[in-house]
Amino acid sequence: MRPTHFFKQNGTGYLFLAPWIIGILAFTLIPVFASLYISFSKYEMFGSPVWIGLDNYKEILTGDEQFAKSLGVTFKYVLLGVPLELAFALLIAMMLHKGIRGLRLYRAIYYVPSLFGGSVAISLLWRQLFGAQGLVNQFLAMFGIQGISWIATPETALYTIILLKVWQFGSPMIIFLAGLQQIPNDLYESASIDGAGRWAKFAKVTIPLLTPIIFFNMIMQIISAFQAFTPAYVISGGSGGPLNSTLFYTLYLYQKGFVSFQMGYASALAWILLIIIAAFTTLAFLTSKKWVHYEK
């Protein structure tokens, strides 16, 4: 087929596709490959990148204590925050599934934290709540308990951010609720006839049929948790303190890229994060064959 004839037949279609093609090239593919190239170079923004091969990666993996620290903080945040958030979301979804009056209103109210949970405003609010003179300590003072500055104490600072993560349960809760509504009542009635109690019906009927939903929510929340940045940045003032207890991986990446202007080093950190997320996702898919049940 001649090129002129091809464009006569398909030109209109490609014209409509042009904005999408330009957008994905300009804002996705070109930046991704540029970042990959920069990760193998020494680049400080105010000059040209200088190719140094694997030096950035060697430095990160063998001689960077902050990298190991930030990775440990992030793993702790993911491994604690995601299961707690999913468990809380499932609990609220099951409560709403009982057919209470005003379900739509409650569903909207519970979803609101997901809309604002990762915002700067909520992070500032969280900082005020858990500060030395915050609402939490004022509540404890009513019972004669002297509270501490939860966000300024290394042992508790990270847990306040994990609590913020759990508070953003609205999105997985909505998906759990949709999944619960798809489970046939016949199965619960059959289980009741067989003498199954509430716990048995939950363990033998609800959970197995919800495993695809649990799996989906888990993947989405793991990816989201690894990319968490705003809460740690706002609550710690961008330092990752106290004593690096809230030094998230993304915050350390930001410090290297936009505080120290080591863009090559920061790009290498970003690609390592991508590999870590891909490894977790792949592991989840491999293990899903053993515990996720799909209807045939």
Side-chain angles (χ1 to χ4, degrees):
M1 182 181 295
R2 293 181 178 178
T4 53
H5 184 64
F6 175 81
F7 283 110
K8 278 184 180 178
Q9 281 193 328
N10 305 294
T12 305
Y14 281 106
L15 186 63
F16 280 107
L17 279 174
W20 180 84
I21 294 173
I22 293 171
I24 199 167
L25 284 174
F27 300 111
T28 302
L29 292 181
I30 292 175
V32 164
F33 286 109
S35 168
L36 180 61
Y37 172 76
I38 290 172
S39 73
F40 293 104
S41 66
K42 184 178 182 181
Y43 178 47
E44 298 178 348
M45 289 189 72
F46 303 108
S48 300
V50 179
W51 181 266
I52 57 173
L54 293 170
D55 286 2
N56 284 330
Y57 292 94
K58 289 178 183 175
E59 174 65 22
I60 291 170
L61 298 175
T62 60
D64 189 344
E65 293 183 359
Q66 293 290 79
F67 164 74
K69 178 67 180 177
S70 65
L71 204 56
V73 170
T74 304
F75 278 156
K76 196 172 183 179
Y77 174 76
V78 173
L79 296 177
L80 283 177
V82 172
L84 287 174
E85 181 189 21
L86 294 183
F88 194 62
L90 180 57
L91 175 66
I92 299 298
M94 292 188 69
M95 290 170 60
L96 294 178
H97 185 56
K98 295 297 182 183
I100 60 175
R101 297 179 64 181
L103 172 61
R104 292 182 178 178
L105 176 63
Y106 286 114
R107 192 167 53 194
I109 291 173
Y110 285 129
Y111 190 72
V112 167
S114 284
L115 296 177
F116 301 104
S119 68
V120 173
I122 294 299
S123 299
L124 286 171
L125 173 66
W126 221 252
R127 189 171 179 170
Q128 296 300 320
L129 281 175
F130 290 95
Q133 306 299 323
L135 192 62
V136 172
N137 282 346
Q138 292 179 24
F139 177 75
L140 292 176
M142 294 170 62
F143 301 96
I145 301 173
Q146 180 65 40
I148 60 175
S149 178
W150 305 93
I151 60 172
T153 304
E155 289 77 15
T156 58
L158 177 61
Y159 295 105
T160 63
I161 302 178
I162 291 175
L163 191 60
L164 176 57
K165 169 69 177 167
V166 176
W167 187 64
Q168 302 169 43
F169 64 90
S171 178
M173 181 270 293
I174 291 291
I175 299 172
F176 276 138
L177 186 58
L180 287 169
Q181 290 171 345
Q182 298 302 315
I183 299 177
N185 282 327
D186 297 351
L187 297 177
Y188 291 113
E189 291 171 1
S190 300
S192 297
I193 293 172
D194 291 339
R198 289 184 177 180
W199 172 252
K201 285 190 276 188
F202 174 74
K204 302 294 184 182
V205 178
T206 305
I207 290 297
L209 292 178
L210 271 185
T211 49
I213 305 294
I214 295 172
F215 179 62
F216 173 78
N217 273 334
M218 184 185 74
I219 293 292
M220 299 305 292
Q221 294 307 317
I222 285 176
I223 294 172
S224 170
F226 269 113
Q227 299 176 73
F229 171 76
T230 305
Y233 178 83
V234 173
I235 290 174
S236 71
S239 66
L243 297 177
N244 292 331
S245 59
T246 61
L247 184 64
F248 280 33
Y249 192 94
T250 51
L251 182 56
Y252 181 52
L253 190 158
Y254 169 82
Q255 290 176 347
K256 283 294 181 184
F258 297 96
V259 177
S260 303
F261 298 112
Q262 298 177 31
M263 299 305 292
Y265 201 88
S267 294
L269 284 170
W271 278 94
I272 290 174
L273 178 61
L274 174 66
I275 293 169
I276 291 171
I277 293 174
F280 266 77
T281 306
T282 303
L283 183 63
F285 271 94
L286 291 176
T287 57
S288 69
K289 296 175 182 176
K290 297 183 180 298
W291 63 274
V292 178
H293 308 286
Y294 294 100
E295 290 187 50
K296 296 180 179 177

